[in-house]
Amino acid sequence: GDTLDSVSTPELEYNLTTLHKSVSLSFDNSYYATTEVKFNGTVFGGNTHYQLDLITGENVVEILVTSEDGASTNTYIINITRIPYSQAVIKSLRIKYGVLDYILEPELEYNITTNIKTGYLRFDNPYEATTEIKFNGTVLGEDSYCHHPTTGYLLDFITGENVVEILVTSEDGTSTNTYVINITRNPCTQAVISSLSISDVLDYVDEPELEYNVTTLRKSAFLSVGNSYSATTEVKFNGTVLEADDLCYELDFIAGEN
């Protein structure tokens, strides 16, 4: 089997085979014995729960137990052979922000049309495969905010044809697959902003109207604008064109009309 179920009276030696790369070891120490746990020759701390990162091939867990009175000892040995995965597949493919909906078991090719300018590619890699992501011919680096087994990549689409290639090589090196996502991006026709807010002056609006009249006591505030349709925008404040910091603008009000 690939796991060791809870055993109330453990034997002194087990031989196991698994595909898992990481496993948990736990045991009870009801008789207040002194314990020392070794994993592949390295001594671990004196706990009763451990996370073990297995290497491919042979792994050895040794639990050295000395009775509370020091009169007797035992050593429990668990031999674990880890076999690398042979699957060259990914799971849970999606491109966020409305480009490609979640697909648990993706096919090898998709053809998509969108008017979104930026997407976020994510997928799971449960079989520890080696992956390489190409976007329009350029190899991408993984987003550091994602954590195993999920990987993520930011995609800035060009107008026209875009190609995402996910090259997958199985952990044991015996099989490969390439997932291809062809994305045609059409420019948006909407001349609208997608959200609007002015801090403590105008609450967040998801679909802004063309005109607002507000009154405030504040002397300054920040204007935030959403531009989901990749329109060209220019913001003027009291006749002056403002510079944007990620579509966020600082407004210093004068007394009266602005």
Side-chain angles (χ1 to χ4, degrees):
D2 65 355
T3 58
L4 178 63
D5 293 332
S6 177
V7 181
S8 60
T9 306
E11 299 177 7
L12 290 178
E13 187 167 357
Y14 293 91
N15 294 287
L16 306 173
T17 301
T18 186
L19 290 167
H20 296 300
K21 193 170 185 177
S22 182
V23 296
S24 296
L25 166 71
S26 62
F27 56 86
D28 291 337
N29 184 12
S30 302
Y31 301 110
Y32 307 106
T34 300
T35 61
E36 179 183 83
V37 175
K38 290 183 180 179
F39 176 57
N40 292 340
T42 300
V43 177
F44 282 12
N47 300 315
T48 58
H49 185 87
Y50 302 86
Q51 193 68 28
L52 307 179
D53 293 323
L54 304 178
I55 61 173
T56 300
E58 301 305 314
N59 299 263
V60 180
V61 178
E62 299 169 87
I63 307 172
L64 291 73
V65 184
T66 303
S67 64
E68 187 180 17
D69 64 3
S72 60
T73 63
N74 272 313
T75 300
Y76 297 83
I77 297 175
I78 309 170
N79 301 300
I80 306 171
T81 301
R82 181 179 181 267
I83 301 171
Y85 289 106
S86 60
Q87 295 95 323
V89 297
I90 59 174
K91 299 272 191 177
S92 305
L93 176 65
R94 63 271 200 200
I95 302 180
K96 294 179 67 178
Y97 312 134
V99 180
L100 178 65
D101 291 337
Y102 176 95
I103 303 167
L104 177 61
E105 296 185 354
E107 299 178 5
L108 290 178
E109 186 168 359
Y110 293 92
N111 295 286
I112 300 167
T113 300
T114 185
N115 56 16
I116 302 296
K117 191 170 186 179
T118 300
Y120 192 67
L121 170 70
R122 299 188 72 174
F123 58 85
D124 289 351
N125 184 14
Y127 301 115
E128 309 291 345
T130 300
T131 60
E132 180 181 81
I133 312 304
K134 291 183 179 180
F135 178 56
N136 292 339
T138 300
V139 177
L140 300 183
E142 184 180 339
D143 190 332
S144 60
Y145 290 102
C146 282
H147 300 287
H148 179 81
T150 301
T151 55
Y153 304 85
L154 186 65
L155 308 176
D156 290 321
F157 303 124
I158 60 173
T159 299
E161 301 304 314
N162 299 263
V163 180
V164 177
E165 299 170 90
I166 306 171
L167 292 74
V168 183
T169 302
S170 63
E171 187 184 17
D172 66 3
T174 62
S175 58
T176 62
N177 271 313
T178 299
Y179 296 82
V180 178
I181 309 171
N182 300 299
I183 304 168
T184 301
R185 181 185 178 265
N186 297 321
C188 294
T189 59
Q190 293 94 328
V192 296
I193 56 175
S194 52
S195 65
L196 175 67
S197 66
I198 303 176
S199 57
D200 296 320
V201 177
L202 177 64
D203 291 338
Y204 178 90
V205 181
D206 191 38
E207 295 181 358
E209 299 179 7
L210 292 178
E211 186 170 353
Y212 292 89
N213 294 285
V214 294
T215 301
T216 185
L217 292 170
R218 293 184 60 87
K219 193 170 183 180
S220 65
F222 284 93
L223 166 70
S224 296
V225 177
N227 187 15
S228 300
Y229 302 109
S230 305
T232 300
T233 61
E234 180 182 81
V235 175
K236 291 182 179 179
F237 177 59
N238 292 339
T240 300
V241 176
L242 300 183
E243 295 293 328
D245 181 9
D246 195 23
L247 293 179
C248 185
Y249 306 82
E250 187 172 7
L251 308 178
D252 293 320
F253 301 125
I254 60 173
E257 301 303 314
N258 296 265

